[in-house]
Amino acid sequence: MQRDQQVFNIIRKELERQREGIELIASENFASLQVLEAMGTVLTNKYAEGYPGRRYYGGCQVVDQSEQLAIDRARQIFQVEYANVQPHSGAQANAAVMLALLKPGDRILGLDLSMGGHLTHGSAVNFSGKLYQPSFYGVSRETGTIEYEKMLGIAIREKPRMIICGASAYSRDWDYARIRAIADEVNALVVADIAHPAGLIARGLMNSPFAHCHVVTTTTHKTLRGPRGGMILMGKDFENPLGLKTPRGELRMMSSLLDSGVFPGTQGGPLEHVIAAKAVSFFEVLTDDFHHYALQVMANAQAMSLAFLKRGYHIVSGGTDNHLMLIDLRNKGISGKKAEELLVKADITVNKNMVPFDDKPAFTTSGIRIGVPAITTRGFTEAQIPRVVEWIDELISDPENGQLPLQVKKQVNEFMRDFPLYPELS
Ligand SMILES: *Cc1c(COP(=O)(O)O)cnc(C)c1O
């Protein structure tokens, strides 16, 4: 067959883009070559609806082994009883959990999107806000941290069936025990969505949700540094938690409810090539190398937040406990959108992000979100961080200087040559 030069040229250009730039999008990372290898394999050809040992297709005896390995390793990493590795993404994991444990019209309580929450936690434009009745908690205007006292008040008023904690743009740790106590007051289930800090939780560097939350969802491609995908976990299984009425009203273990929430509830055939790549990345997470990586992520985030504070930047909540920070640019007289555009011209990639109590719309925003997982994978330590912050500050302080982005871009591209990415790929 003729080779598709067009698409492979595009992929080569994307490899160049990733190699040359400084990647600061908090949700991105660079999966290892062996993770990429596992994804680009014949496993993509296999239909495997169902679960290992109980499939709806023949010939699954081989992919059963890789999926079981992924499950076993996930359970080992987080010391948990249950793992479902089939969700195609973090959003799919949340959809499956809600389908399994809620009825349409049930009430849910999540962190407001404009305060750092995620679309799938009840946003009006998402299935979670259309199928369920959402209410929201937020962060304090003064401290930028979760207001647990108010969360309790809202929970008592709204009587949610499910409380969702976890966020996409929140730099502090969570008090899972306190959230469980709030949920117990109103007889609600607690779901922790650890899509962002999962890799740090995996190595014990942040609070673990498993003892307190009924269900935990995550992505596998952010701090876990695996292939793009999702996963559902449970510290321990429950029979009919809180008197759940399942569609047929029978008593069921939560694990079988969750399994059927994924398949057949919201997905068809699993992506066995991605599941094999998840297994490979979990193997990596269990190594000492990954432990050092996770420690370096924490150290780099501390160095980054200190460097910004020193230059007069306002960080929401005053700093970070994890791998990311949210910078409120209102004292710098530039919008998040403008800052993002400026930085991208210099091959420094960030995303604009609303800050709590933002007065600009979601398309403009007053802030940018910055994360260090990807640059840490590239090999950055505290030694490189001040240079990165200096470039960002130069650009943001002189936004009308048309020459500057190109000058910085040259320096950035030169700088990144010392941090090779996928040298094995031509
Ligand atoms: C990234 C993220 C997700 C969604 O993951 P996708 O794989 O993009 O669907 C879900 N929840 C939170 C909190 C996230 O940050």
Side-chain angles (χ1 to χ4, degrees), residues 89-91 94 118 120-121 166-168 193 195-196 219 221-222 229:
S89 69
N94 288 343
H118 190 261
T120 54
H121 299 182
S168 299
D193 178 348
H196 264 269
T219 61
H221 51 275
K222 296 179 183 175

Side-chain angles (χ1 to χ4, degrees), residues 362-404:
F363 194 71
T364 315
T365 81
S366 296
I368 51 174
R369 185 184 64 162
I370 290 189
V372 300
I375 52 171
T376 307
T377 298
R378 290 296 294 268
F380 281 30
T381 65
E382 297 95 317
Q384 284 76 34
I385 301 293
R387 188 78 188 96
V388 176
V389 175
E390 193 184 337
W391 276 319
I392 294 173
D393 187 33
E394 249 179 272
L395 289 159
I396 284 177
S397 308
D398 196 4
E400 301 310 324
N401 182 344
Q403 311 295 313
L404 191 58

Side-chain angles (χ1 to χ4, degrees), residues 100-162:
L101 304 179
L102 299 171
K103 293 190 301 302
D106 275 357
R107 292 161 187 259
I108 58 174
L109 172 59
L111 175 61
D112 200 307
L113 183 61
S114 70
M115 306 253 181
H118 190 261
L119 282 169
T120 54
H121 299 182
S123 161
V125 297
N126 183 259
F127 79 90
S128 56
K130 293 179 192 284
L131 294 182
Y132 310 106
Q133 279 188 61
S135 52
F136 300 99
Y137 57 90
V139 300
S140 141
R141 198 183 271 275
E142 288 72 44
T143 64
T145 57
I146 301 291
E147 291 183 309
Y148 293 101
E149 210 55 56
K150 286 200 183 157
M151 185 196 283
L152 173 62
I154 299 167
I156 288 171
R157 193 180 70 226
E158 300 288 339
K159 301 248 174 314
R161 190 83 188 106
M162 178 182 285

Side-chain angles (χ1 to χ4, degrees), residues 277-288:
K278 285 174 181 170
V280 173
S281 67
F282 298 161
F283 167 84
E284 294 176 351
V285 169
L286 289 163
T287 62
D288 287 346

